[in-house]
């Protein structure tokens, strides 16, 4: 209470000075302009009384407002009534700020939970290739696996682990997408050929080969080179993984041009996606039936691609039929909307 009184009188300091100055000027005016003696004590006492009543009313309003501030500080809604337009406006503004703060706090808590869930699931998935490596080493030590086969399988699992690490790092960087986003014109044909050359070993090892339908030369789109590279690499990796078999198969690449967009198609000849899984393929950590049948899917690849495409203003679609393959399509802008 004492602290509140001190704060209140500090806030009223200018009003008090103005009141005292006005009384002083009034008294000076009478002394300088009127020759006869006049009674000034009574009007001065009356003026002080009026000012005291004013201070009492203002202190009541000040105390009500301070209590409301204190209740908001303790995350409680206050039903205390305040008087006056200014007090009402301040009260409403503070309530709105408090609600906004609560909403932000809730969003941060949900984001923290989602991050924890993401990391815990990913760490669990990462244990699989490590367990496979351990099993491979044990089999090699028992002489059940030849050295060449052992090295090939070990390299394959190491590559899978490296890709998972890279993907998780990029997922974390999605939070800072705006900082790391550099929109520019990209030659789609050149970009695709470069990625295919980088993935040459993956194609050969799985007996799956790229086939470009049509001419992609000179086709430019609006995107971010690095992020677009990551999306295409992930989609191609998926197409190869789910097409791999004893038979030689192909992944077809083609484009469809429209007035302001270009759509890139990636069509594989793989196992396809069952109808009952297709509505959930973009959910984080959803592996579906194919992932449970030995493909060791992490369930974050397509989720990552969808998130990046939305941030880039691109449209990603997946069309598939079990047993006949999958078509992944990305629709790029070629002109700025306006």
């Amino acid at each position: 209470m004492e602290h509140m009184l001190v704060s209140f009188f500090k806030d009223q300091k200018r009003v008090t000075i103005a009141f005292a100055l006005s009384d002083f000027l009034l008294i000076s005016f009478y002394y300088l302009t009127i020759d006869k003696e006049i009674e000034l004590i009574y009007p001065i006492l009356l003026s002080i009384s009026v000012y005291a009543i004013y201070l009492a009313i203002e202190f009541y309003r000040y105390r009500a407002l301070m209590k409301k501030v204190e209740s908001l500080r303790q995350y409680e809604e206050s039903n205390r009534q305040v008087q006056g337009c200014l007090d009402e406006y301040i009260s409403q503004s503070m309530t709105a700020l408090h609600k906004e703060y609560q909403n932000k706090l809730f969003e941060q808590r949900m984001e923290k939970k989602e991050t924890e869930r993401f990391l815990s699931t990913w760490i669990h998935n990462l244990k699989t290739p490590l367990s496979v490596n351990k099993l491979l080493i044990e089999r090699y030590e028992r002489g059940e696996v030849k050295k060449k086969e052992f090295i090939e399988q070990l390299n394959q699992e190491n590559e899978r682990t490296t890709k998972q690490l890279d993907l998780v790092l990029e997922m974390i960087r999605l939070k800072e997408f705006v900082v790391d986003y550099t929109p520019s014109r990209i030659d789609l044909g050149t970009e695709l050929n470069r990625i295919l050359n980088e993935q040459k070993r993956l194609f050969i090892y799985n007996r799956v080969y790229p086939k470009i339908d049509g001419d992609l030369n000179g086709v430019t789109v609006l995107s971010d080179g690095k992020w677009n590279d990551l999306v295409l690499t992930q989609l191609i990796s998926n197409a190869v993984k789910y097409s791999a078999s004893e038979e030689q198969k192909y992944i077809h690449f083609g484009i469809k041009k429209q007035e302001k967009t270009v759509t890139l198609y990636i069509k594989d000849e793989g196992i396809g996606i069952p109808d009952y899984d297709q509505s959930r393929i973009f959910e984080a950590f959803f592996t579906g039936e194919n992932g449970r049948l030995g493909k060791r899917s992490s369930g974050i690849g397509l989720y990552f691609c969808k998130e990046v495409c939305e941030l880039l203003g691109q449209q990603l679609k997946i069309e598939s039929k079990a047993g006949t393959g999958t078509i992944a399509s990305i629709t790029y802008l070629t002109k700025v909307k306006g």
Side-chain angles (χ1 to χ4, degrees):
M1 184 68 175
E2 183 179 349
H3 176 71
M4 189 182 297
L5 279 169
V6 172
S7 299
F8 171 74
F9 282 112
K10 282 184 178 179
D11 289 343
Q12 296 295 323
K13 182 169 59 177
R14 284 178 296 181
V15 178
T16 303
I17 293 173
F19 168 79
L21 183 61
S22 64
D23 274 5
F24 172 76
L25 292 175
L26 186 63
I27 294 168
S28 300
F29 171 78
Y30 277 110
Y31 271 114
L32 293 174
T33 58
I34 299 176
D35 294 333
K36 62 179 181 179
E37 187 177 343
I38 58 175
E39 179 62 46
L40 291 176
I41 296 178
Y42 178 74
I44 291 174
L45 290 175
L46 185 61
S47 176
I48 293 174
S49 298
V50 171
Y51 183 63
I53 293 171
Y54 163 79
L55 286 179
I57 295 172
E58 285 300 306
F59 179 73
Y60 172 78
R61 296 170 63 188
Y62 181 83
R63 186 179 63 175
L65 189 60
M66 291 300 290
K67 285 186 177 181
K68 186 171 183 65
V69 171
E70 187 63 29
S71 68
L72 290 174
R73 188 178 296 174
Q74 296 173 2
Y75 310 109
E76 297 175 357
E77 288 292 339
S78 175
N79 295 319
R80 183 177 299 277
Q81 299 294 322
V82 291
Q83 300 175 358
C85 296
L86 179 60
D87 287 352
E88 183 179 357
Y89 174 75
I90 293 173
S91 177
Q92 290 175 352
S93 299
M94 290 173 59
T95 301
L97 286 172
H98 174 61
K99 288 181 178 179
E100 184 180 350
Y101 167 77
Q102 290 286 66
N103 291 335
K104 291 288 185 182
L105 188 63
F106 177 76
E107 289 175 6
Q108 288 180 356
R109 286 173 179 169
M110 294 302 295
E111 186 176 325
K112 182 174 179 291
K113 286 183 179 179
E114 181 66 19
T115 302
E116 289 174 351
R117 185 179 75 89
F118 173 80
L119 289 176
S120 62
T121 306
W122 172 77
I123 291 170
H124 177 74
N125 289 339
L126 190 62
K127 290 167 67 177
T128 301
L130 295 176
S131 300
V132 172
N133 284 345
K134 182 180 178 182
L135 182 61
L136 279 173
I137 293 170
E138 290 175 354
R139 291 182 63 195
Y140 177 71
E141 289 175 345
R142 292 196 301 264
E144 297 176 5
V145 182
K146 293 182 180 180
K147 183 177 181 180
K148 183 179 179 181
E149 183 183 353
F150 167 70
I151 292 174
E152 285 181 354
Q153 291 187 23
L154 198 63
N155 284 333
Q156 187 179 5
E157 293 302 325
N158 285 340
E159 283 184 9
R160 183 178 285 111
T161 304
T162 301
K163 286 180 180 178
Q164 290 296 315
L165 286 168
D166 290 340
L167 188 56
V168 169
L169 289 174
E170 297 302 336
M171 286 290 295
I172 293 171
R173 291 178 68 185
L174 273 178
K175 303 295 181 183
E176 304 296 330
F177 180 85
V178 176
V179 178
D180 198 35
Y181 172 50
T182 309
S184 61
R185 290 196 172 274
I186 295 173
D187 189 307
L188 195 56
T190 302
E191 182 82 356
L192 184 60
N193 284 323
R194 182 183 59 78
I195 295 172
L196 294 178
N197 285 329
E198 289 176 354
Q199 300 295 320
K200 187 182 295 183
R201 192 172 134 203
L202 177 68
F203 285 110
I204 295 172
Y205 183 82
N206 290 280
R207 293 179 57 81
V208 180
Y209 301 97
K211 190 173 183 179
I212 297 179
D213 302 327
D215 186 12
L216 270 68
N217 292 327
V219 178
T220 58
V221 296
L222 296 175
S223 188
D224 177 276
K226 188 198 74 173
W227 289 104
N228 184 61
D229 185 313
L230 291 168
V231 171
L232 290 180
T233 300
Q234 182 63 44
L235 292 176
I236 291 170
S237 176
N238 279 3
V240 171
K241 178 169 64 174
Y242 291 108
S243 297
S245 67
E246 296 299 323
E247 300 177 16
Q248 179 173 300
K249 294 189 177 182
Y250 292 92
I251 296 176
H252 300 265
F253 297 87
I255 61 167
K256 181 180 179 181
K257 296 181 182 179
Q258 294 179 320
E259 184 180 355
K260 291 185 179 182
T261 62
V262 167
T263 301
L264 171 67
Y265 296 93
I266 303 174
K267 181 181 179 181
D268 65 53
E269 299 174 353
I271 59 178
I273 304 170
D275 293 341
Y276 46 81
D277 280 345
Q278 291 187 28
S279 62
R280 300 184 60 193
I281 56 176
F282 293 121
E283 291 182 14
F285 307 114
F286 178 73
T287 57
E289 182 179 308
N290 293 337
R292 294 189 293 270
L293 292 176
K295 294 296 181 181
R296 278 179 261 162
S297 170
S298 65
I300 58 175
L302 285 179
Y303 169 78
F304 170 79
C305 292
K306 186 70 172 178
E307 290 289 307
V308 172
C309 283
E310 287 182 355
L311 290 169
L312 290 172
Q314 300 166 181
Q315 188 175 18
L316 173 63
K317 286 185 178 180
I318 302 291
E319 300 173 56
S320 185
K321 189 174 181 180
T324 61
T326 301
I327 302 175
S329 63
I330 306 176
T331 299
Y332 299 89
L333 289 174
T334 56
K335 297 179 181 178
V336 178
K337 287 184 177 180

